[in-house]
Each structure stands twice: as C-alpha cells, then as structure tokens.
C-alpha cells in the first residue's frame, strides 16, 4: 500500500487549509492542529453533533402537533341495482382539525423539544471537550513513548559498549568469564525492553491516528513537546468553576425541566380537551359542483371522566422519573467534584515528582560515570555497573513519566472544569483525506 500523508493542517490562527505533501513526506503536527483535526473528523464527534439535527426535527413535530392538520379522502364504488344496471358512487371529503385546548400538552411538548435542542448542543460542546482531552493524552503518550524509547536505546548502547570493554578486559586476563556472561545477559534484557518500547510507541501512534481519523500509514511528526506551565487556581476554585460550567451538569438541569413538563402532561389527563374541526364533502363526482358539496365546522369537547387509574399511573411514573432526574443531578455534581479533586491532586503530585526526578537524573548520570570508570580501572565490580545503569534508567523514566503525567492531568483538570473548546470556524471539509 502506498503511504499517504496527512492532507489537512489546521492553522493556529484558525484557518483550515487542505494541502497535499508528496507521498512519503512526513506531515508536521502540533498539538493544537491535532485537536482541531479531531474536532472536525472524528466520527464520535460527528455522531454526537447529528443529535442536534434530530432535536430540530422533534421541534418541528411538536409544533406541527399544535397546528392545523388537513386530510383528504375519496372513495369510489359500483353496485348492481336489480334490473336497472349498475350504479356508481363517489364520495370525497376534506377535513381539517386544530387542537384548541388539551391541558397545554402540546405547548409543553414544544417547550420540551426546544429544551432538547439546547441539550443536544451542550452534548456536542461537551464532546468537543472530552475529545480534546483524548487527543491531548494520546499526543503526549506518543511523545512519552518516544522519549522512553530513547532511554531504552541508550541503555542498550551503554550495555553494548560495556560488553565490548569487558570482552577486551577478559581477553587481557583482567576480568573473569562471569563478567562477560553477565554483561551479555544484561544486554539481552535491555534489548527486550527496547523491543517492547518500539511496540508501545507504534501502538500509541496508531491510537493518535485513529482519534484524528487518518490513514494508519500516514507518517507524522509531532512538533510540540512538554513545556511546564504553572497551574495557579486552587482545588476549591476548580471545583466551583466545574459545578457552574460543566455542560453535562447543565444538561442534567435541562432534563430535570423536561421531567417537570412530563408531570404536567400526565396531570393534563384529568382535564378536558377541545378541538376545532372544519370540513367539506361532495358525492357523485370527482370535482365538486356549485350545488353538490357541503361545509361543516365543529367544536368538540371530550373529558375522560374515569379511566381505571391509567392517568394516575402515568402521573406516578412521571413523578418517579422527576425524582430520578433530581438524584441524577446530585450524583453527577458529586462525581464532577470528585473527578476534579482526584485529577487536581494527581497533577500536583506529578508536578512535585518531575521537580525531584530532574535532580535524580543528574545524580544517577554521575553515579554511572563513576562506577564505569572504577570498573575500567579494576577497582569496581560488575554489580556496580548494573546497579548504576538500572538507577540511571529508572531515574530517566521517572522524569519522563512525571513530565507527561503533569501535562495529562493538567489537561484532565481543565476538561473536568468544563473549559470551552470549539473547532475552527474555517472550511473543514478536507481536513484529512483518508
């Protein structure tokens, strides 16, 4: 299969232009560009956005139910009349109806449908926010895996160099065979970690491509990297912001309003309904003549006096759903508060870890240099080299993980708080061509 590159690049200034690099040429991709491409192309985002169209259709239905409806009907027949032959008949009617009063059920349905459109828009906006978080995590996962891969490669290179030194020392008679064997084992183990690291990097890169809905063969180069930016707000400020701005909490509030309207509709079953009917009809011919048609206008009222508890059951069910909506809102508020606090604390933990591990890397590098030089001078043992190399690799991996943990958890806190996210307003049709 020929490799295809990313064709669309979302510009940070807000424009989205379709460009096509030559086959095999890598496309540079910043974090913001990746986010914008996902907001435009990811199927989950577009599926969620289609909910707005469904909500608009429901508004049309609800409004139509509260307006005139017209029906036309016609019938043709023929019958034998004794010895007089056949008699044909034709009857045509046009009737219209308009609900005048039904306990405001139609008005409540219109209001509920309009609320449904607001809900759909909020769900789309929340999907943008969660999609941004997914892309940020995937983007940083790739960068982290790449740096971890460099550490694995560096470890292999160091063990390879050390094995060469040991073999030379063994040939000179200054080191035992066991040192050669142990060096070979450590090199093999390091190569295993390198292989796993390569696989992890490829998998995380595939995950990012999948979020961007781009061809898995498309080569990309990530141009951004971790940059530490202090996060100033305290945890209580973050929680308060989230409780006031999370779109899904607003959705819960709107759905609670819909349930209140549903209770009103159920109670309307005890009220009378009034309808206006208009009609015209004619017989014996397809098109009415001047003297062969009738007009009618009727106002009808109906009242369900006794329905064996059907209306009462509907009211009880609607009230239960209303109470469920209230409890759902309370539960979701608690969950939002918990998620903000957990991610905030994890962010602060990562912040402290990368500050401390940065110094640990310097110390481990110095320790490894000393152990290696002592071994060359015949003053150290093989275990010193292994311990120093293990400590160095661990310190480097911890430092890398701490940086990207901070970046990911910071993004999670911002998503938990409900920071607004919007796709580019420019043309987006050809953001990525698969």
């Amino acid at each position: 299969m020929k490799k295809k590159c990313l064709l669309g690049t979302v510009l940070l200034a807000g424009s989205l232009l379709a460009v096509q690099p030559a086959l095999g040429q890598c496309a540079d991709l910043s974090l913001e560009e990746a986010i914008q491409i996902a907001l435009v192309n990811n199927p989950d985002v577009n599926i969620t956005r289609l909910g707005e169209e469904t909500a608009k259709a429901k508004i049309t239905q609800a409004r139509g139910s509260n307006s005139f409806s017209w029906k036309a009907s016609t019938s043709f027949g023929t019958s034998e009349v004794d010895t007089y032959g056949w008699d044909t008949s034709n009857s045509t009617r046009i009737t219209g109806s308009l609900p005048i009063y039904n306990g405001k059920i139609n008005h409540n349905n219109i209001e509920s449908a309009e609320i449904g459109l607001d809900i759909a828009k909020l769900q789309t906006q929340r999907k943008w926010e969660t999609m941004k978080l997914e892309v940020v995590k995937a983007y940083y996962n790739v960068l982290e895996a790449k740096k971890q891969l460099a550490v694995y490669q560096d470890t292999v290179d160091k063990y390879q160099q050390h094995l060469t030194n040991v073999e030379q020392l063994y040939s000179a008679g200054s080191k035992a065979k066991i040192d050669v064997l142990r060096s070979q084992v450590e090199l093999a183990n390091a190569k295993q970690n390198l292989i796993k690291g390569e696989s992890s990097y490829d998998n995380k890169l595939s995950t990012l491509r999948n979020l961007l809905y781009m061809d898995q063969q498309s080569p990309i180069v990530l141009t951004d990297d971790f940059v530490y930016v202090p996060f100033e707000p305290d945890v209580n400020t973050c929680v308060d912001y989230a409780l006031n701005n999370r779109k899904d909490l607003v959705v819960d509030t709107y759905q609670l309003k819909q349930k209140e309207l549903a209770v009103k509709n159920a109670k309307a079953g005890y009220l009378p309904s009034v309808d206006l009917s208009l009609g015209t009809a004619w017989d014996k011919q397809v098109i009415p003549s001047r003297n062969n048609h009738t007009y009618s206008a009727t106002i009808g009222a109906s009242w369900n006096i006794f329905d064996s508890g059907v209306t009462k059951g509907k009211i009880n069910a609607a009230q239960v759903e209303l109470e469920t909506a209230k409890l759902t809102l309370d539960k979701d508020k608690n969950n939002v508060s918990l998620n903000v606090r957990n991610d905030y604390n994890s962010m602060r933990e990562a912040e402290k870890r990368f500050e401390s591990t940065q110094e640990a890397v310097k110390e481990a590098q110095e320790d490894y240099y000393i152990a290696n030089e002592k071994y060359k001078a015949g003053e150290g043992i093989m275990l010193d080299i292994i311990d120093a190399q293990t400590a160095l690799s661990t310190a480097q991996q911890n430092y890398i993980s701490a940086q990207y943990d901070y970046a990911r958890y910071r993004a999670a806190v911002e998503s938990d708080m409900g920071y607004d996210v919007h796709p580019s307003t420019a043309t987006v049709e050809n953001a990525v061509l698969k």
Side-chain angles (χ1 to χ4, degrees):
M1 178 182 296
K2 291 184 179 181
K3 292 186 176 181
K4 299 178 183 178
C5 285
L6 180 67
L7 299 183
T9 302
V10 182
L11 302 181
L12 294 179
S15 61
L16 190 60
L17 303 177
V19 294
Q20 184 173 7
L23 291 177
Q25 178 183 349
C26 293
D28 293 342
L29 189 66
S30 70
L31 177 57
E32 183 60 26
E33 289 168 351
I35 292 169
Q36 288 295 324
I37 291 172
L39 295 184
V40 171
N41 292 297
N42 189 276
D44 289 340
V45 172
N46 292 322
I47 290 171
T48 302
R49 186 163 50 82
L50 287 175
E52 297 179 30
E53 301 305 316
T54 301
K56 292 176 183 178
K58 290 182 178 180
I59 291 177
T60 301
Q61 296 175 37
R63 289 174 178 169
S65 298
N66 196 45
S67 185
F68 263 109
S69 62
W70 293 93
K71 294 181 180 179
S73 63
T74 187
S75 63
F76 296 90
T78 182
S79 61
E80 186 178 8
V81 182
D82 297 330
T83 61
Y84 295 99
W86 294 86
D87 181 38
T88 59
S89 63
N90 168 235
S91 177
T92 303
R93 297 180 182 277
I94 298 177
T95 58
S97 62
L98 174 68
I100 297 176
Y101 177 78
N102 60 356
K104 293 187 176 181
I105 290 178
N106 289 339
H107 290 86
N108 292 338
N109 288 339
I110 293 173
E111 184 178 353
S112 181
E114 290 172 344
I115 293 173
L117 178 57
D118 292 334
I119 289 174
K121 291 178 179 179
L122 288 167
Q123 289 172 334
T124 298
Q125 292 171 21
R126 182 57 188 162
K127 189 62 180 179
W128 288 339
E129 295 169 3
T130 57
M131 180 54 60
K132 175 184 176 180
L133 177 60
E134 288 187 57
V135 173
V136 168
K137 287 182 176 180
Y139 194 97
Y140 284 132
N141 285 344
V142 173
L143 292 175
E144 179 182 18
K146 186 176 181 180
K147 286 192 175 182
Q148 289 173 336
L149 191 59
V151 172
Y152 293 137
Q153 183 64 61
D154 181 66
T155 301
V156 169
D157 293 343
K158 282 184 169 63
Y159 273 125
Q160 182 63 63
Q161 182 180 9
H162 178 69
L163 175 60
T164 301
N165 292 335
V166 172
E167 288 174 338
Q168 292 174 351
L169 293 173
Y170 171 72
S171 298
S174 59
K175 292 297 179 181
K177 179 68 173 179
I178 191 173
D179 282 7
V180 176
L181 296 175
R182 184 60 185 273
S183 297
Q184 291 172 338
V185 170
E186 294 301 325
L187 176 59
N189 291 338
K191 288 181 177 179
Q192 290 295 312
N193 291 333
L194 177 60
I195 293 171
K196 292 178 181 179
E198 290 171 343
S199 177
S200 177
Y201 173 76
D202 289 340
N203 289 339
K204 290 175 180 178
L205 194 56
S206 295
T207 298
L208 177 60
R209 289 193 183 103
N210 186 65
L211 285 173
L212 305 184
Y213 204 53
M214 61 182 292
D215 195 312
Q216 288 292 336
Q217 299 298 319
S218 299
I220 55 176
V221 175
L222 307 188
T223 59
D224 284 343
D225 202 349
F226 169 78
V227 176
Y228 172 64
V229 178
F231 190 82
E232 301 298 339
D234 60 50
V235 65
N236 291 325
T237 300
C238 294
V239 170
D240 291 340
Y241 187 95
L243 294 178
N244 290 315
N245 292 276
R246 275 284 291 267
K247 278 72 175 179
D248 42 350
L249 293 183
V250 180
V251 166
D252 285 348
T253 302
Y254 285 172
Q255 289 176 336
L256 181 61
K257 178 62 176 176
Q258 286 181 318
K259 299 304 181 184
E260 291 173 349
L261 293 172
V263 171
K264 292 181 180 180
N265 279 357
K267 290 181 178 180
Y270 287 131
L271 301 175
S273 62
V274 181
D275 297 287
L276 170 65
S277 297
L278 301 175
T280 182
W282 58 92
D283 300 320
K284 301 295 184 180
Q285 55 196 40
V286 177
I287 300 176
S289 65
R290 185 171 184 179
N291 298 320
N292 185 29
H293 65 278
T294 60
Y295 296 106
S296 64
T298 305
I299 294 180
S302 64
W303 199 336
N304 194 351
I305 299 175
F306 180 73
D307 61 4
S308 299
V310 173
T311 298
K312 182 179 180 180
K314 290 180 179 180
I315 293 173
N316 291 339
Q319 288 176 333
V320 170
E321 291 185 1
L322 175 60
E323 291 302 316
T324 301
K326 291 179 181 178
L327 292 173
T328 299
L329 175 59
D330 291 339
K331 175 180 71 71
D332 289 346
K333 284 183 177 179
N334 287 333
N335 289 340
V336 166
S337 176
L338 178 62
N339 290 338
V340 171
R341 293 182 185 278
N342 286 345
D343 288 333
Y344 187 94
N345 291 335
S346 297
M347 177 188 67
R348 291 305 185 197
E349 173 203 314
E351 186 177 39
K352 294 176 182 178
R353 284 194 289 116
F354 84 73
E355 290 175 351
S356 62
T357 53
Q358 186 175 18
E359 188 63 29
V361 170
K362 297 178 182 179
E363 294 170 350
Q365 288 173 336
E366 183 178 359
D367 179 51
Y368 176 80
Y369 174 78
I370 293 172
N372 194 47
E373 292 302 314
K374 288 177 64 177
Y375 186 84
K376 290 179 181 179
E379 298 178 1
I381 60 176
M382 183 67 187
L383 187 58
D384 293 337
I385 296 290
I386 295 173
D387 288 344
Q389 179 58 53
T390 301
L392 176 58
S393 297
T394 301
Q396 290 172 328
Q397 297 286 8
N398 288 342
Y399 179 56
I400 293 169
S401 296
Q403 291 181 60
Y404 292 107
D405 281 348
Y406 174 81
R408 286 186 290 258
Y409 280 120
R410 179 186 173 121
V413 170
E414 293 176 350
S415 180
D416 291 339
M417 292 171 66
Y419 279 2
D420 286 338
V421 176
H422 295 282
S424 169
T425 57
T427 305
V428 296
E429 287 81 357
N430 296 317
V432 173
L433 300 182
K434 292 177 68 64

